[in-house]
Amino acid sequence: DHRDLHRLIRRQRQMCIRDRNYTALSRELGIHKTVIMRHVSYLRYGGMVNVVRNYRASMRGASRKLPRVYPSAPVFSLAYGASDEGKLLESFVGMALDARYYWREGRREVDFLIGKEKIPVEVKNKKPKLRETELFHYIRKFKAKRALVVFRGREYEKRSVDGFEIEFLPHIKLAFEFK
């Protein structure tokens, strides 16, 4: 039913759906889980949303474990009244990097993994202090050589820590200069 689709779109645009458990969303909206999954596939096919999957060794695990659904352009979220700048920034970064995966293990998570090398990308509202984080855990576990932190700010910086590089990239540079 088109009303179910409209309610799902409104909810998704307001929240920049993250880690959505389709069963919980089904209960919240009063729409059957299979209907929600079908509507998300329509939205994805229509280019309105991007689905970012949890990275697993097996593709089968990645396809069913808590996918994140982001608007294909953050401006869509604003049209539906979204105001959480952190979620809008995360949505923008996911779109700009054409992210397909994120990583989560227990309470640890990395916002996006990009490229064949699965380079970890963290999104922050301000430039973070360098300390032990989920990013370091991922780097050590998967032996990543570099990582990217995109933040709302102005100054680019590259640091070398324990044999790997971390790039601190202002979001505006991501929009116009990053490759």
Side-chain angles (χ1 to χ4, degrees):
D1 173 326
H2 72 283
R3 288 177 299 238
D4 291 341
L5 179 59
H6 181 71
R7 285 177 36 219
L8 180 63
I9 291 171
R10 178 171 295 273
R11 177 73 175 142
Q12 190 270 333
R13 296 295 189 227
Q14 288 172 342
M15 301 299 290
C16 300
I17 294 176
R18 288 187 40 149
D19 307 332
R20 289 314 300 203
N21 176 326
Y22 288 129
T23 304
L25 187 60
S26 169
R27 264 188 252 117
E28 180 183 326
L29 296 176
I31 303 170
H32 197 275
K33 178 177 153 179
T34 57
V35 173
I36 289 175
M37 292 171 71
R38 187 174 59 238
H39 286 321
V40 167
S41 72
Y42 295 158
L43 293 170
R44 185 172 170 226
Y45 183 74
M48 300 217 27
V49 298
N50 293 325
V51 175
V52 179
R53 302 194 182 288
N54 190 356
Y55 178 70
R56 302 281 181 173
S58 80
M59 284 304 294
R60 202 170 181 185
S63 68
R64 60 186 163 78
K65 286 286 190 179
L66 295 176
R68 292 180 176 176
V69 180
Y70 292 96
S72 56
V75 72
F76 291 150
S77 294
L78 295 172
Y80 281 91
S83 59
D84 184 325
E85 289 183 11
K87 289 180 183 175
L88 288 170
L89 180 61
E90 188 173 325
S91 180
F92 164 74
V93 170
M95 174 200 70
L97 295 175
D98 193 28
R100 298 286 174 228
Y101 297 99
Y102 72 98
W103 175 78
R104 174 185 246 164
E105 181 179 87
R107 291 181 178 230
R108 295 179 169 135
E109 74 173 55
V110 173
D111 293 325
F112 301 110
L113 303 175
I114 59 171
K116 288 181 183 178
E117 307 86 26
K118 302 292 183 265
I119 297 166
V121 178
E122 275 290 297
V123 181
K124 302 292 182 190
N125 261 332
K126 59 183 181 177
K127 189 172 180 180
K129 291 180 171 62
L130 202 55
R131 61 183 192 282
E132 287 292 312
T133 64
E134 290 87 353
L135 189 60
F136 283 95
H137 183 76
Y138 177 88
I139 289 169
R140 287 187 182 108
K141 180 174 180 149
F142 292 99
K143 297 174 178 52
K145 297 290 183 217
R146 70 184 270 231
L148 183 64
V149 177
V150 179
F151 66 100
R152 190 182 307 275
R154 298 179 186 254
E155 292 186 33
Y156 172 85
E157 182 180 355
K158 187 184 263 189
R159 295 186 198 169
S160 186
V161 179
D162 295 337
F164 55 86
E165 288 186 350
I166 299 179
E167 290 181 70
F168 293 87
L169 183 71
H171 72 294
I172 200 71
K173 287 192 181 284
L174 175 67
F176 297 108
E177 299 174 19
F178 184 74
K179 292 178 179 135

